[in-house]
Amino acid sequence: MVSALFLDIKSTFPSVVLEWQAHDMRKRGVPRQYTDWIVPKVSGHHTTLKFNGFKSELFLLSKGLDQGCPLSGIVFQFYNSDLMDIRRTDEGRDAIMFMDNLLLLA
């Protein structure tokens, strides 16, 4: 008998907490020189809001990855990588993950 659990994370890229993203990448062995650009205070990732003739002041983005960036798919794989740690094929548990989708088998 096999049990399967399918997970799909809603609003994946806009929901990424950038400090956690950098932490998860360093935890998996990515050197700090490659993770510091993710944290907005280091990268200077800012935006303004414009609507109905209103324009906001420039403000710092605290979360979210740019889905159009070619690196975002690679970078995001580190964000949920802890979910793969529950995988134990010798105990009959397996997992398959791609981006914001996860399949757990037991």
Side-chain angles (χ1 to χ4, degrees), residues 52-64:
N52 294 336
F54 169 79
K55 181 178 177 184
S56 73
E57 296 289 325
L58 193 65
F59 62 92
L60 191 64
L61 293 176
S62 61
K63 66 179 190 173

Side-chain angles (χ1 to χ4, degrees), residues 22 25-26 28-37:
M25 291 176 73
R26 286 192 296 271
R28 300 286 177 179
V30 176
R32 184 174 288 276
Q33 68 194 49
Y34 300 114
T35 62
D36 280 349
W37 67 272

Side-chain angles (χ1 to χ4, degrees), residues 93-106:
R93 296 188 317 226
D94 205 354
I96 300 168
M97 183 174 70
F98 179 73
M99 302 300 281
D100 63 341
N101 299 298
L102 179 71
L103 167 61
L104 300 172
L105 302 171

Side-chain angles (χ1 to χ4, degrees), residues 10-22 37-41 43-47 59-69 71-73 75-76 79:
K10 184 177 178 182
S11 300
T12 302
F13 288 97
S15 301
V16 171
V17 178
L18 300 173
E19 288 81 7
W20 294 354
Q21 175 70 57
W37 67 272
I38 294 169
V39 181
K41 65 178 180 258
S43 68
H45 211 152
H46 294 79
T47 194
F59 62 92
L60 191 64
L61 293 176
S62 61
K63 66 179 190 173
L65 287 174
D66 181 7
Q67 193 165 354
C69 174
L71 289 176
S72 61
V75 169
F76 185 76
Y79 196 64

